[in-house]
């Protein structure tokens, strides 16, 4: 989903700059022809930012699922349950890449495995930097709980991801 539209310091986050979601390479999800057309033509994605680490099987991936002309950047963030301090250098480099892409009008697709935790924290930090209200950051993070989360290809609608659940604190 697009992170645009949230009120922030000085206005509103622009639509069409940063799209977040789940992985399309590795695992059981692959982009369809319709997905490719949407990402490449409608959204104009030029950079894919992958937050998965080697535990997610990313060591076997060497490029974007959307084609060889899409830049693929891999920032191997530690799992969400680990402290943010483990990722300090990665976040610094990640935010530099995001700033570069946005300032050069290069739309980004950012994801981890499921597009919820590492992606959610990264987008929440970006929103905080931009001055989005904490209440709205929390709402945006929890929007990931509204999808039918799939585990091993099976819909598990009881797998809810509330920010105050003991599994995610």
């Amino acid at each position: 989903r697009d992170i645009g539209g949230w009120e922030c310091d000085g206005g509103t986050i622009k639509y069409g700059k940063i799209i977040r979601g789940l992985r399309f390479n590795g695992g059981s999800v692959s982009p369809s022809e319709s997905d490719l057309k949407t990402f490449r033509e409608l959204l104009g994605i030029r950079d894919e930012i992958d937050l998965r680490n080697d535990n997610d099987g990313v060591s076997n991936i060497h490029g974007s699922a959307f084609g060889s002309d899409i830049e693929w950047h891999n920032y191997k963030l530690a799992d969400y349950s680990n402290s943010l301090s483990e990722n300090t250098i990665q976040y610094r480099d990640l935010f530099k890449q995001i700033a570069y892409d946005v300032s050069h009008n290069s739309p980004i697709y950012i994801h981890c495995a499921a597009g919820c935790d590492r992606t959610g924290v990264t987008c929440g930090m970006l929103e905080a930097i931009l001055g989005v209200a904490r209440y709205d950051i929390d709402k945006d993070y929890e929007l990931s709980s509204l999808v039918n989360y799939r585990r091993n290809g099976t819909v598990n609608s009881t797998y809810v991801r509330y920010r105050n659940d003991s599994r995610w604190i």
Side-chain angles (χ1 to χ4, degrees), residues 47-151:
D47 273 21
E48 177 182 353
I49 296 179
D50 189 339
L51 306 178
R52 294 175 294 171
N53 59 46
D54 290 341
N55 292 334
D56 299 305
V58 79
S59 59
N60 296 323
I61 298 169
H62 306 290
S64 176
F66 304 112
S68 60
D69 60 330
I70 305 297
E71 290 288 327
W72 180 72
H73 308 276
N74 183 217
Y75 296 90
K76 297 179 180 186
L77 297 183
D79 295 335
Y80 174 73
S81 61
N82 295 326
S83 70
L84 292 176
S85 63
E86 291 182 34
N87 296 310
T88 302
I89 301 299
Q90 292 289 61
Y91 275 117
R92 181 198 66 197
D93 295 343
L94 168 61
F95 287 149
K96 282 182 179 180
Q97 183 66 51
I98 291 170
Y100 178 86
D101 288 338
V102 170
S103 67
H104 286 82
N105 201 29
S106 183
I108 304 165
Y109 182 64
I110 186 169
H111 67 89
C112 52
C116 298
D117 301 316
R118 288 168 283 189
T119 302
V121 168
T122 299
C123 290
M125 290 186 340
L126 283 170
E127 291 163 346
I129 290 166
L130 294 171
V132 173
R134 172 68 186 266
Y135 177 77
D136 289 336
I137 294 170
D138 290 347
K139 283 193 302 189
D140 186 40
Y141 184 85
E142 286 187 356
L143 283 174
S144 296
S145 297
L146 300 177
V147 299
N148 286 328
Y149 186 76
R150 294 180 183 274
R151 191 163 270 226

Side-chain angles (χ1 to χ4, degrees), residues 16-62:
K17 300 293 182 189
I18 302 174
I19 309 298
R20 60 173 284 189
L22 56 80
R23 72 191 175 315
F24 276 101
N25 53 0
S28 60
V29 180
S30 297
S32 67
E33 287 301 317
S34 177
D35 293 331
L36 291 172
K37 186 174 182 174
T38 297
F39 276 78
R40 296 172 64 83
E41 296 175 23
L42 180 66
L43 298 173
I45 299 297
R46 295 291 162 249
D47 273 21
E48 177 182 353
I49 296 179
D50 189 339
L51 306 178
R52 294 175 294 171
N53 59 46
D54 290 341
N55 292 334
D56 299 305
V58 79
S59 59
N60 296 323
I61 298 169
H62 306 290

